[in-house]
Amino acid sequence: MGPLVYAKHLVSGPRLPFTAAYFGSIAMTLYFAIGTNPSSYFVFCLSQLHSTFLTLISSILQLAALLWYLVSYFPMGSTGLQFMGRFGAQRVTSWINN
């Protein structure tokens, strides 16, 4: 698969939410980590923002989007991820209730 075919695949209907989430989280991570707005000459722009907490949150979102992407290519990957998520939630719930 060439780069143009892969790019078309990423912006196709089923892959568009992943693409938006992943590249959006990359942009948010960079924005919050660097803390500058490259388009500061525009009238409707955000002020400069540098936040360690927001950098951490956006990097977690970035890792979650990457995990979603990787799992989507494995056979039965989403089913296995749902199973592990339910299992982990049950463990956490039982740990909290005890």
Side-chain angles (χ1 to χ4, degrees):
M1 177 182 310
L4 186 58
V5 174
Y6 187 67
K8 287 180 182 179
H9 171 69
L10 284 179
V11 295
S12 66
R15 291 282 174 197
L16 193 57
F18 153 75
T19 304
Y22 186 64
F23 288 113
S25 64
I26 288 174
M28 286 189 323
T29 302
L30 288 173
Y31 180 76
F32 294 141
I34 297 170
T36 59
N37 188 359
S39 61
S40 60
Y41 54 88
F42 287 118
V43 176
F44 301 107
C45 67
L46 298 173
S47 63
Q48 292 186 352
L49 182 62
H50 180 80
S51 172
T52 303
F53 177 72
L54 292 176
T55 302
L56 178 66
I57 295 299
S58 60
S59 63
I60 289 170
L61 290 174
Q62 182 178 346
L63 287 173
L66 181 62
L67 179 66
W68 176 21
Y69 173 74
L70 291 175
V71 166
S72 70
Y73 279 101
F74 291 125
M76 295 184 58
S78 60
T79 306
L81 186 62
Q82 288 174 356
F83 172 75
M84 292 305 293
R86 283 193 302 267
F87 179 76
Q90 289 173 355
R91 294 288 97 205
V92 169
T93 304
S94 67
W95 177 69
I96 289 174
N97 290 335
N98 286 332

